[in-house]
Amino acid sequence: MTHEHCAGTGRTVEWTEGTITRTPRTDEVKLPEPGVLYWARRLADQHATWTPTTLTDDDPLRACVQKDFASALKPLLRPQHQEIARRTKLEYVRFAKVAVDEHPHRIYYVFPSRGLPKVVMRPSPKRTWQIVGIVTGLLLLLVLINRFIA
């Protein structure tokens, strides 16, 4: 394009600016699915020191989670439809569930924590059912007594 005033030539450029934003979707996955009771997870949340690790879709799984959860995590790490990449933040904790012969109605959970391990005692499933049975029996007895009195 010629410029009349100085007889020079040049190009005009039009710039178009745009910003594409994308809100990431967060999926929460709790592994292992079977075998860990709800309140055992709650105890781990309250008492254990969790170890964080971050993975991207091209990272190999860390050795700490590779053995136990590789088959469950690998499909979650692959980018899904219209995704460019995927990042996964993991927190894991290993804890022990201990039954002692001297205390058959108790289960001990040992959680790693800063300093000494944290030990939490809970009633065994058998003891829990015994307590539920006793409470149910007492409630039925109260209902029967109430019916006979009324």
Side-chain angles (χ1 to χ4, degrees):
M1 153 173 259
T2 307
H3 187 258
E4 298 287 329
H5 182 68
C6 68
T9 61
R11 293 186 173 178
T12 61
V13 178
E14 290 184 17
W15 291 93
T16 303
E17 181 177 316
T19 304
I20 299 172
T21 58
R22 182 175 179 149
T23 305
R25 187 181 86 209
T26 302
D27 295 325
E28 187 171 316
V29 178
K30 293 190 183 231
L31 297 171
E33 288 295 330
V36 177
L37 297 173
Y38 169 77
W39 49 268
R41 285 186 194 273
R42 297 290 300 147
L43 290 173
D45 288 341
Q46 293 170 1
H47 300 292
T49 302
W50 291 75
T51 304
T53 186
T54 302
L55 304 172
T56 59
D57 55 318
D58 56 353
D59 279 342
L61 290 173
R62 305 282 188 265
C64 54
V65 295
Q66 174 76 36
K67 182 178 128 198
D68 298 327
F69 306 117
S71 61
L73 287 175
K74 281 188 179 180
L76 300 174
L77 290 174
R78 280 188 228 114
Q80 303 298 313
H81 180 65
Q82 295 183 342
E83 282 184 337
I84 297 170
R86 184 169 270 212
R87 181 179 63 222
T88 304
K89 292 182 182 178
L90 299 175
E91 290 183 328
Y92 64 94
V93 64
R94 291 189 183 273
F95 62 91
K97 177 182 175 184
V98 181
V100 181
D101 290 338
E102 289 82 21
H103 303 153
H105 298 297
R106 297 181 187 160
I107 301 290
Y108 297 93
Y109 291 92
V110 183
F111 299 101
S113 61
R114 301 185 201 293
L116 295 174
K118 175 75 174 172
V119 179
V120 179
M121 187 274 303
R122 289 292 177 253
S124 69
K126 183 178 179 181
R127 176 62 75 172
T128 303
W129 283 112
Q130 287 172 344
I131 293 169
V132 167
I134 290 169
V135 170
T136 304
L138 287 174
L139 287 174
L140 287 173
L141 183 62
L142 287 173
V143 167
L144 288 173
I145 291 172
N146 190 26
R147 294 239 179 201
F148 285 125
I149 292 175

